[in-house]
Amino acid sequence: MKGALKLISILSGLVLWHLVATRVVNDSSLLVSPLVVIAKGYEMMFVTAELYPHLVASSWIFLYGMLIAALVGVPLGFLMALSPVTRDYVNPWMTALYTTPRIAFAPVLLLWLGIDIASKIAIVFLGCVFPILINSFYGMRVVSREFVEVGRSFRLSGVALFVKILLPASVPFILAGLRLAVGRGLTGVAIAEWFGATEGLGYLIFFAGQTFNIPILFVGVAVFALLGIFGFQVLKIIENLATPWRKEFETK
Amino acid sequence: MPGQALRRGCLSIAGGLLLWEILTRLLLENELLIPPPTSVLRSLWKLTLSGELNRHLSATLFEFVCGFSTACIVGILLGYLMGRYRWFDDLMDPWIATLYSIPVIAFVPFIIIWFGIGLFSKIIVVFKITAVAIMLNTAAGIKTIDPVWLELSNSLRLSPWETTYKIRLPAALPYIITGMRLGVGRALLGVIVAELMAANAGLGYLLRDASETWDSPKLFVAVVLLAAMGVGSFILIRKGEQKLAPWRETAEW
């Protein structure tokens, strides 16, 4: 029932879109029917294969940015959770960086790192790092007192306590942070490729917008949406694999 | 915030700025890459005196307020319906999920093609980027209402309208505020993206103008102002959140 209603909603939306595009607007520089978009997408994927270089370029930027963000965000989040002094000193800078719209940093990063891949990775990094950092911080902070006390009564201390208790307990939070970071990272990719790129999905969209090529514009946007959904699902699977005890807990 | 944390925070900011000033003065001969804070301040002062800053700030603020308030009204309304009626939720869900996963920047070309480059297109961008967060949070708030309260309203024979605005909406208020907090940062991003694409005033325009003319102090003025706007609106909403829902542990960031 629930699935059927969703399906109906999607189908009727697409039909409405088709009718508006062909009967009401009827101007291919404003809006095209979803059928045209699908045909264009098929052509770009299987006939001319022009989509792939863009997809590959964007994927590398995204993966590097995410990876560096995780490598920096997780340890820094832990450090801030475990040492209040570090937190107090880092906090104001972090708040400022976090609440500033990322796009404001794009020109500055471009100025510093050039228009190569480095500045693009930096923009993605800046988008991804905060959700990861904040979630690692909270994960470490909210580790149940009882877990820590159990560890202590087994005479765990220092490194052992960290590896056996604190780290596993905060894994779900870190993964949630990564999942939040996917969306922000994709936005970062689009922003980065908007400034002085020659390939990539962001460039594709930007170029199509400038040349009023509506079908390509729609294809680019759809690919972005699919990537977002795909990344989200992949991380969900990883989450289930990495924290099997949660699932057990839920089924009980 | 306890006193010690505040003191350390101020110390950290002051120390960072001082270090920045000294390093840029000593190491760099050219202000192009990183201007020292004092020249950023000088640039800010110049822009203020010439009235240019006022023009950009008021343009950005106006677009922000228009878009954000539209998003709040529509978002709360639709979110309420989604929370109340299961079928409406199912109907909206696939579209919201799609809309939500598209980066706003990928959306801007469409909006410019359809709505032009005026005020209206900026309001649409801000609306698109903000409304979903508010909608989803409102729906969650309406859904998770404690059934005891609804029973109470039943036994008091409140009319459906009274139940809505005396019970349901106040119960959902903390959720709505959370949605607004999430929305504020995104709304600011939306304004800037829209202004970067096409505008003749606003902080986004200032940003592009400065970066295209290699005027680093001016570029940093724009960045700092955006940071101030971001932090300011965030603190404001957080205060509101603490006031309206003091029992909830509010986010630190």
Side-chain angles (χ1 to χ4, degrees):
Chain A
M1 172 61 206
K2 193 181 150 203
L5 205 55
K6 278 186 187 174
L7 202 67
I8 292 171
S9 168
I10 293 176
L11 283 179
S12 49
L14 288 176
V15 170
L16 190 70
W17 174 7
H18 176 77
L19 288 178
V20 168
T22 51
R23 298 288 155 81
V24 183
V25 177
N26 207 6
D27 179 351
S28 64
S29 66
L30 281 180
L31 188 68
V32 293
S33 152
L35 295 174
V36 179
V37 177
I38 292 170
K40 187 75 202 172
Y42 180 81
E43 186 195 316
M44 286 175 77
M45 270 195 287
F46 300 112
V47 183
T48 59
E50 60 185 305
L51 187 65
Y52 297 115
H54 297 298
L55 196 60
V56 170
S58 294
S59 303
W60 278 122
I61 295 171
F62 177 72
L63 288 176
Y64 274 125
M66 274 288 263
L67 189 69
I68 300 174
L71 289 178
V72 173
V74 174
L76 196 59
F78 283 173
L79 195 66
M80 284 174 72
L82 297 174
S83 139
V85 180
T86 318
R87 190 189 68 210
D88 290 344
Y89 280 108
V90 177
N91 203 357
W93 293 99
M94 226 190 75
T95 308
L97 277 178
Y98 181 50
T99 47
T100 309
R102 269 160 300 151
I103 200 161
F105 296 114
V108 180
L109 290 170
L110 218 61
L111 196 66
W112 289 345
L113 301 171
I115 62 167
D116 275 343
I117 191 166
S119 66
K120 295 180 175 62
I121 293 173
I123 293 170
V124 176
F125 165 79
L126 212 55
C128 295
V129 72
F130 291 111
I132 298 175
L133 195 160
I134 290 169
N135 271 279
S136 312
F137 173 81
Y138 277 118
M140 188 61 56
R141 275 275 293 266
V142 302
V143 172
S144 156
R145 280 229 72 83
E146 284 148 41
F147 289 173
V148 178
E149 273 161 25
V150 168
R152 287 214 191 282
S153 36
F154 281 96
R155 293 186 174 273
L156 289 181
S157 65
V159 178
L161 187 72
F162 181 80
V163 173
K164 292 236 158 103
I165 309 272
L166 295 175
L167 193 61
S170 43
V171 164
F173 286 85
I174 297 171
L175 288 170
L178 285 174
R179 227 168 43 200
L180 287 175
V182 166
R184 296 173 59 99
L186 283 176
T187 310
V189 170
I191 291 176
E193 286 172 347
W194 188 25
F195 289 93
T198 51
E199 56 177 359
L201 293 171
Y203 168 77
L204 190 73
I205 289 173
F206 181 60
F207 191 72
Q210 298 267 300
T211 52
F212 286 83
N213 193 333
I214 300 289
I216 292 191
L217 194 53
F218 268 114
V219 171
V221 170
V223 172
F224 256 118
L226 289 176
L227 277 181
I229 295 167
F230 176 72
F232 206 82
Q233 293 300 335
V234 166
L235 276 167
K236 237 183 189 166
I237 293 168
I238 294 178
E239 196 170 331
N240 285 338
L241 289 178
T243 55
W245 64 87
R246 280 188 123 199
K247 195 145 197 187
E248 254 169 56
F249 193 70
E250 270 165 28
T251 45
K252 272 176 198 167
Chain B
M1 205 187 268
Q4 198 187 24
L6 191 67
R7 205 168 53 239
R8 281 182 187 149
C10 292
L11 203 67
S12 167
I13 294 266
L17 286 178
L18 198 67
L19 199 69
W20 174 6
E21 176 81 31
I22 292 170
L23 282 181
T24 44
R25 290 264 177 230
L26 286 181
L27 297 180
L28 296 172
E29 298 187 346
N30 184 329
E31 291 196 347
L32 186 61
L33 279 182
I34 311 178
T38 42
S39 37
V40 177
L41 269 180
R42 198 179 314 126
S43 179
L44 177 68
W45 181 240
K46 261 201 312 218
L47 283 169
T48 316
L49 281 187
S50 67
E52 205 183 332
L53 192 71
N54 195 11
R55 191 167 67 94
H56 295 309
L57 262 182
S58 50
T60 298
L61 272 178
F62 186 66
E63 288 155 8
F64 177 76
V65 169
C66 285
F68 193 67
S69 44
T70 320
C72 284
I73 295 167
V74 176
I76 292 172
L77 206 68
L78 288 180
Y80 175 76
L81 291 176
M82 280 168 66
R84 277 304 300 281
Y85 307 107
R86 185 78 231 177
W87 60 270
F88 193 70
D89 193 19
D90 289 341
L91 214 62
M92 297 290 284
D93 187 57
W95 296 102
I96 288 182
T98 320
L99 214 61
Y100 199 56
S101 49
I102 299 171
V104 71
I105 195 154
F107 225 75
V108 172
F110 279 115
I111 290 172
I112 289 177
I113 289 175
W114 291 337
F115 302 107
I117 59 169
L119 176 68
F120 189 60
S121 67
K122 271 138 205 138
I123 293 176
I124 298 268
V125 173
V126 177
F127 173 77
K128 185 262 160 190
I129 203 172
T130 319
V132 174
I134 297 173
M135 218 184 286
L136 291 179
N137 274 283
T138 309
I142 297 282
K143 270 183 211 161
T144 54
I145 185 169
D146 190 341
V148 173
W149 294 355
L150 294 179
E151 276 165 28
L152 176 73
S153 88
N154 241 345
S155 33
L156 292 177
R157 291 181 178 275
L158 293 185
S159 66
W161 171 243
E162 279 174 321
T163 313
T164 299
Y165 83 92
K166 285 202 172 141
I167 308 273
R168 287 188 207 273
L169 282 181
L173 200 57
Y175 289 84
I176 297 173
I177 293 278
T178 306
M180 285 164 79
R181 176 164 57 82
L182 292 173
V184 156
R186 295 166 61 91
L188 207 54
L189 176 72
V191 177
I192 304 310
V193 168
E195 284 176 353
L196 270 169
M197 272 268 181
N200 50 26
L203 288 177
Y205 171 78
L206 185 71
L207 199 69
R208 197 179 62 178
D209 185 44
S211 77
E212 277 174 1
T213 54
W214 299 87
D215 189 343
S216 297
K218 205 165 153 190
L219 183 61
F220 272 74
V221 168
V223 174
V224 169
L225 283 176
L226 284 170
M229 273 177 85
V231 175
S233 51
F234 178 77
I235 290 175
L236 220 67
I237 295 260
R238 196 170 65 176
K239 282 263 180 316
E241 203 174 8
Q242 279 162 352
K243 196 149 214 155
L244 288 169
W247 63 91
R248 279 179 113 203
E249 201 188 331
T250 48
E252 211 155 325
W253 290 291

